[in-house]
Amino acid sequence: MAFEPDWREKELSLKEVAEKYPDFPKLIALKIDASRRGIKYTDRALAAVDPDFHHVEPRSVITDSGTKGANSVPLGVTLRDGTLICQGDKVITKHTRREPYTLDIVDGRPVLIDLGEEIEGVEFWEKPLFYDKVTSNGTPMREVASARPQRICVIPQPVCEFWKHRCGCKYCSIFSDNMGLDAVKRSEAYFQDVYETVEEALKQKGRYASFMMTSGTALGGEELLDDEVDAYIQTLQAAGKAIGAQKFTVKLVGTAFSEKQLRRLYDNTGITTYTTDLEVLNKDLFEWICPGKAKYIGYDEWKNRLYTAVGIFGKGNVNTGFVGGVETAQPHGFKSEEEALTSTLAEAEEIGAHGVSFAETVWNANPRSVFYDQREPSLEYCVRLAQGLADIRRKNGIGIYTDDYRRCGNHPNTDLARID
Ligand code: SF4
């Protein structure tokens, strides 16, 4: 399948969606559309990015680039209300279905453009100041941690062992450079690097509102996943030493751990919230799309572990992430958007009633994933999904503190928390 020249005739545009759903914030609808379709930088826009001042990463870090070792590009941009769009410079392949937005420079400022029309000005993210520093072990701090405008991020385990067993998630390209490798055993020197990097990052006053940590799945250990839990505990202890608080704002996105492992995490670190991603809110589709998660833990057990986590971390402190729209992947996904929405929100109702909230990302078929040639759903679908999830969260009185736009900024449904 390739580019669909008539795709605009098949779905509502951003303007039409805004007219049909006037209560839905237009800038969040734009974020969703740009996340779904991607952003293509012009040469002029790339030339306006100043690596000494703006946050750039090698293209290989940006998961849809596929151009390892090429020049560095921004990870995302900010809209005028603080909404983030976590999209770099899109790589267009023969399987790209819709044109991305264009990011160009107009009157000296970066602007998103569609069909030749200026849609909205954006700002490039500023470079974290710790990016120029080196730890006492000689490690560049930018290799120890990354950042968004509002949070610092550490990945102690940049390998997902599901790929070693050929059962990674079909939409995923994270850590694909390390595909097939074993999980890494981190040394004391690494945790010293984490401590020094977090300590240095905090010298940039007012920038970081949370500490984020995630990894690929590490299956090993005495109990399945113990190695992953150990890596998080040691990393959080190192970060906590720098932060100097008994508990601090942590967003951890990990695999679904057992009760014993969750208690170990909670009792031995400053962790405050826990996120473990079901990825798709449907058991049959979970088994197709996330075969590793299905094989080693299973959909029902994943949900049970989320509910157990609520008992440990408290209501409002446990989330499940999912890839909004992947439920329409073919051939096994829902054929109609209406059916997909009804089913997904019904499952979300059940999960939300247990005190779990949602961190939804917008599916953008990644050229390096198994689903490289799939078709993402319409903007209208994504807007209705985000609104439905926000409504379920509110109805159940669940907070979303570490995943809102001030501390994370990636999820349309939690961006809506600003109007709670
Ligand atoms: S668990 Fe799935 S989504 Fe997460 S890194 Fe592994 S393959 Fe990717």
Side-chain angles (χ1 to χ4, degrees), residues 257-273:
F257 301 130
S258 68
E259 179 170 2
K260 186 174 154 205
Q261 290 167 332
L262 289 169
R263 288 206 180 278
R264 202 151 65 80
L265 249 179
Y266 189 79
D267 291 343
N268 290 291
T269 72
I271 192 171
T272 40
T273 72

Side-chain angles (χ1 to χ4, degrees), residues 372-419:
Y372 65 94
D373 62 348
Q374 290 277 342
R375 186 183 205 281
E376 306 90 345
S378 67
L379 170 61
E380 182 179 16
Y381 176 83
C382 299
V383 161
R384 290 176 68 198
L385 181 61
Q387 185 64 64
L389 293 169
D391 292 345
I392 290 168
R393 186 182 59 72
R394 284 189 195 111
K395 188 174 92 181
N396 288 289
I398 310 170
I400 193 73
Y401 184 73
T402 50
D403 250 327
D404 72 359
Y405 80 105
R406 287 195 180 90
R407 277 152 286 268
C408 177
N410 194 26
H411 314 295
N413 68 308
T414 65
D415 281 357
L416 292 169
R418 73 180 68 184
I419 48 177

Side-chain angles (χ1 to χ4, degrees), residues 160 162-163 167-169 171-175 215-217 279 290 293:
C160 181
F162 287 147
W163 289 117
C167 55
C169 305
Y171 53 81
C172 175
S173 66
I174 311 172
F175 314 128
S215 285
T217 292
E279 315 290 11
C290 306
K293 293 187 176 206

Side-chain angles (χ1 to χ4, degrees), residues 137-411:
N137 292 317
T139 313
M141 289 187 181
R142 65 181 307 149
E143 291 176 10
V144 180
S146 179
R148 286 207 185 127
Q150 68 283 63
R151 76 177 195 198
I152 184 167
C153 175
V154 173
I155 300 178
Q157 188 57 262
V159 172
C160 181
E161 289 194 325
F162 287 147
W163 289 117
K164 191 174 87 173
H165 300 284
R166 300 182 183 280
C167 55
C169 305
K170 290 187 167 60
Y171 53 81
C172 175
S173 66
I174 311 172
F175 314 128
S176 53
D177 285 344
N178 299 333
M179 212 172 260
L181 300 182
D182 289 318
V184 180
K185 180 81 187 148
R186 292 295 195 176
S187 65
E188 281 309 313
Y190 172 78
F191 299 109
Q192 177 67 22
D193 284 347
V194 171
Y195 163 66
E196 290 178 26
T197 302
V198 174
E199 187 181 48
E200 184 63 36
L202 293 178
K203 290 178 186 165
Q204 190 172 359
K205 295 290 178 208
R207 173 147 182 173
Y208 300 110
S210 80
F211 179 82
M212 193 270 182
M213 193 173 48
T214 190
S215 285
T217 292
L219 295 164
E222 199 176 317
E223 179 185 337
L224 183 81
L225 305 173
D226 262 354
D227 286 353
E228 188 181 331
V229 175
D230 289 344
Y232 292 140
I233 289 175
Q234 285 173 283
T235 307
L236 279 171
Q237 287 174 342
K241 198 164 78 161
I243 292 165
Q246 210 179 359
K247 290 282 172 192
F248 50 98
T249 310
V250 175
K251 172 178 171 168
L252 164 64
V253 187
T255 309
F257 301 130
S258 68
E259 179 170 2
K260 186 174 154 205
Q261 290 167 332
L262 289 169
R263 288 206 180 278
R264 202 151 65 80
L265 249 179
Y266 189 79
D267 291 343
N268 290 291
T269 72
I271 192 171
T272 40
T273 72
Y274 171 65
T275 299
T276 189
D277 299 342
L278 275 164
E279 315 290 11
V280 56
L281 303 189
N282 178 287
K283 187 174 177 177
D284 292 340
L285 293 179
F286 178 87
E287 286 170 3
W288 174 50
I289 295 172
C290 306
K293 293 187 176 206
K295 176 180 172 187
Y296 288 95
I297 294 165
Y299 188 79
D300 294 333
E301 179 60 15
W302 204 287
K303 280 166 67 176
N304 284 339
R305 291 180 177 204
L306 278 162
Y307 303 158
T308 299
V310 175
I312 296 169
F313 289 80
K315 184 175 167 181
N317 296 324
V318 178
N319 306 316
T320 190
F322 74 96
V323 185
V326 81
E327 56 278 358
T328 63
Q330 295 304 309
H332 301 302
F334 292 100
K335 306 286 184 240
S336 94
E337 291 191 352
E338 207 54 48
E339 213 186 339
L341 194 68
T342 303
S343 168
T344 301
L345 291 179
E347 180 71 346
E349 287 275 5
E350 193 218 302
I351 294 168
H354 285 83
V356 175
S357 191
F358 306 95
E360 171 229 2
T361 52
V362 179
W363 181 36
N364 179 326
N366 191 300
R368 300 172 94 186
S369 70
V370 175
F371 278 169
Y372 65 94
D373 62 348
Q374 290 277 342
R375 186 183 205 281
E376 306 90 345
S378 67
L379 170 61
E380 182 179 16
Y381 176 83
C382 299
V383 161
R384 290 176 68 198
L385 181 61
Q387 185 64 64
L389 293 169
D391 292 345
I392 290 168
R393 186 182 59 72
R394 284 189 195 111
K395 188 174 92 181
N396 288 289
I398 310 170
I400 193 73
Y401 184 73
T402 50
D403 250 327
D404 72 359
Y405 80 105
R406 287 195 180 90
R407 277 152 286 268
C408 177
N410 194 26
H411 314 295

Side-chain angles (χ1 to χ4, degrees), residues 78-89:
T78 306
L79 299 175
R80 65 186 142 93
D81 67 342
T83 296
L84 301 191
I85 305 176
C86 300
Q87 290 289 316
D89 181 31

